[in-house]
Amino acid sequence: MSPFSLLTRSPLLFTFITPQITRKTTNTGSFHTTTALSAKKYLLNYSYIPQVLEKRGPFREEHLALATELSRSGGPTGVVGEEVPTGALFVFDDEESAKEFASKDPYVANGIVTDWSVAEWNVVIGE
């Protein structure tokens, strides 16, 4: 299966990658185009060290205060059934706030976060 076939089967994923898509509607058989939405958000994705629970303590209060100040929502992510988070995902209204958060976050500065990235997200359902 080619990467393009995966994108054409998943219009939401394709919306994430490009601000304009064309897709077939199933009820009428017609085609329509969706354009960039006003509900654009930015996702900050963190990867954590395996020892995050043991090492985050001294930095947690500052990390949570910063998250409360700058992000719309966020929290740890991980594998179902596992208690140790593997990362975190935060939602921001603009790219600058996401990057500012990462640059000021004590988890990043002190090696709790091993990698981070910011991605643009067009919200199709919800706010």
Side-chain angles (χ1 to χ4, degrees):
M1 175 183 335
S2 76
F4 184 73
S5 67
L6 175 64
L7 293 176
T8 58
R9 291 180 196 190
S10 177
L12 291 178
L13 178 61
F14 201 54
T15 301
F16 174 75
I17 294 172
T18 181
Q20 181 173 337
I21 64 167
T22 301
R23 64 180 173 180
K24 184 176 181 181
T25 56
T26 55
N27 57 349
T28 65
S30 63
F31 286 89
H32 71 277
T33 300
T34 59
T35 56
L37 304 174
S38 61
K40 187 182 295 182
K41 302 293 179 216
Y42 293 84
L43 304 175
L44 174 62
N45 186 30
Y46 275 0
S47 296
Y48 287 155
I49 59 172
Q51 308 82 7
V52 61
L53 296 179
E54 294 86 6
K55 296 193 175 193
R56 71 182 178 183
F59 318 109
R60 187 161 171 74
E61 187 175 323
E62 185 181 351
H63 167 77
L64 293 176
L66 188 64
T68 301
E69 175 188 345
L70 293 177
S71 71
R72 291 182 52 89
S73 60
T77 58
V79 178
V80 174
E82 297 289 326
E83 292 189 30
V84 178
T86 57
L89 187 64
F90 298 93
V91 180
F92 296 87
D93 288 326
D94 58 83
E95 185 178 12
E96 294 77 27
S97 294
K99 289 179 177 179
E100 178 184 0
F101 178 86
S103 72
K104 292 181 176 179
D105 191 357
Y107 279 18
V108 173
N110 292 285
I112 304 299
V113 173
T114 60
D115 187 38
W116 62 271
S117 63
V118 175
E120 187 178 280
W121 174 37
N122 281 330
V123 181
V124 175
I125 299 170
E127 295 181 25

